[in-house]
Amino acid sequence: MKRKVLILLTSLLLSGVAMASGDTYRGKYPVASVELNGNPLQSNNPPPIVMDGTTVVPLRSIAEKLGAFVIEDEESGKTIVNKPNVNMIVASAIEETSKKNYRIVSPFMVIDKGSKASFDIFIDVDNAPKSDSLVFKIVIRNPSGSEEYVSYPQSYSTVRNGTAFLYTHNVKGMQFKETGDYKVQLIMKLGGNGDYQVVGENTIHSR
């Protein structure tokens, strides 16, 4: 029978890591090996553990990997998980025909290796976390995982303007030097502090 996955706050997990019989333990519980979309879940402080046949995973580690924000509300004492809904379209051109109306020209998904191309990225966001300064930018990673393109950061107040917004961005003359998938990512953080996290992704295939 497959183990159920239970997500708990990191503060509820036990402390102390020890080695026993070649296995890693945290306290009396064995450390679990967890994969998310085919990639190991990197969480060492604390790691996932197996408790009474159930895999217990740190909330923040898995939530942020899924593009969600974990927000501690000090007034209510609640921990809030907020996942923005993000739709991304990469196209040869995106034309604004009138206010809030757009025309998408030739979705851009495949290109020949060595080619140089300009293209537009259309992003539709709703359910963004409330913040006076929601900072976001676009990153394009090559098949090797390195940053091939990074846009200037943009700041948007979801407190004043609401939690839904549209954004278009033009990439000029980018060269596709490698064969494989280029990941077009929307990364976002709350305010000037903290780390960016990926909240949306699309792919351009170089052949």
Side-chain angles (χ1 to χ4, degrees):
M1 181 181 294
K2 293 184 178 179
R3 293 197 298 261
K4 294 180 180 178
V5 176
L6 175 64
I7 300 175
L8 293 180
L9 293 178
T10 59
S11 60
L12 297 181
L13 298 177
L14 300 179
S15 61
V17 176
M19 302 296 293
S21 303
D23 295 322
T24 303
Y25 281 75
R26 188 170 183 89
K28 65 179 181 179
Y29 299 104
V31 172
S33 177
V34 177
E35 288 189 358
L36 182 62
N37 295 329
N39 299 310
L41 180 66
Q42 301 294 336
S43 178
N44 298 320
N45 188 28
I49 62 172
V50 180
M51 182 187 295
D52 300 327
T54 298
T55 301
V56 182
V57 182
L59 174 63
R60 185 175 298 277
S61 297
I62 197 165
E64 291 181 352
K65 289 291 185 182
L66 293 172
F69 290 90
V70 179
I71 303 167
E72 305 290 348
D73 189 329
E74 296 181 358
E75 291 186 5
S76 66
K78 294 180 180 178
T79 297
I80 301 167
V81 179
N82 190 159
K83 186 180 187 311
N85 300 317
V86 180
N87 293 310
M88 297 180 64
I89 298 174
V90 183
S92 297
I94 297 173
E95 301 171 355
E96 187 173 358
T97 56
S98 60
K99 188 175 182 180
K100 301 301 182 183
N101 289 320
Y102 296 87
R103 186 168 70 92
I104 297 170
V105 180
S106 300
F108 186 79
M109 300 174 65
V110 180
I111 192 169
D112 292 330
K113 175 186 173 183
S115 298
K116 183 182 287 187
S118 298
F119 51 91
D120 287 340
I121 302 168
F122 177 83
I123 298 172
D124 178 7
V125 179
D126 65 73
N127 196 43
K130 289 186 177 180
S131 173
D132 287 322
S133 178
L134 186 69
V135 182
F136 62 92
K137 57 185 177 179
I138 291 170
V139 174
I140 301 177
R141 296 187 179 274
N142 60 32
S144 300
S146 300
E147 293 180 350
E148 193 73 32
Y149 176 89
V150 182
S151 71
Y152 288 108
Q154 305 290 322
S155 180
Y156 184 83
S157 172
T158 50
V159 172
R160 293 193 302 271
N161 302 314
T163 59
F165 61 93
L166 303 175
Y167 176 66
T168 59
H169 182 78
N170 176 253
V171 178
K172 297 183 182 297
M174 179 176 149
Q175 189 164 19
F176 292 81
K177 305 171 186 176
E178 300 181 36
T179 300
D181 289 337
Y182 283 74
K183 294 182 178 180
V184 183
Q185 299 176 330
L186 176 66
I187 63 174
M188 189 179 287
K189 68 177 181 177
L190 301 178
N193 300 321
D195 297 325
Y196 282 102
Q197 61 191 67
V198 178
V199 296
E201 184 174 287
N202 208 324
T203 301
I204 301 172
H205 182 71
S206 173
R207 60 189 178 185

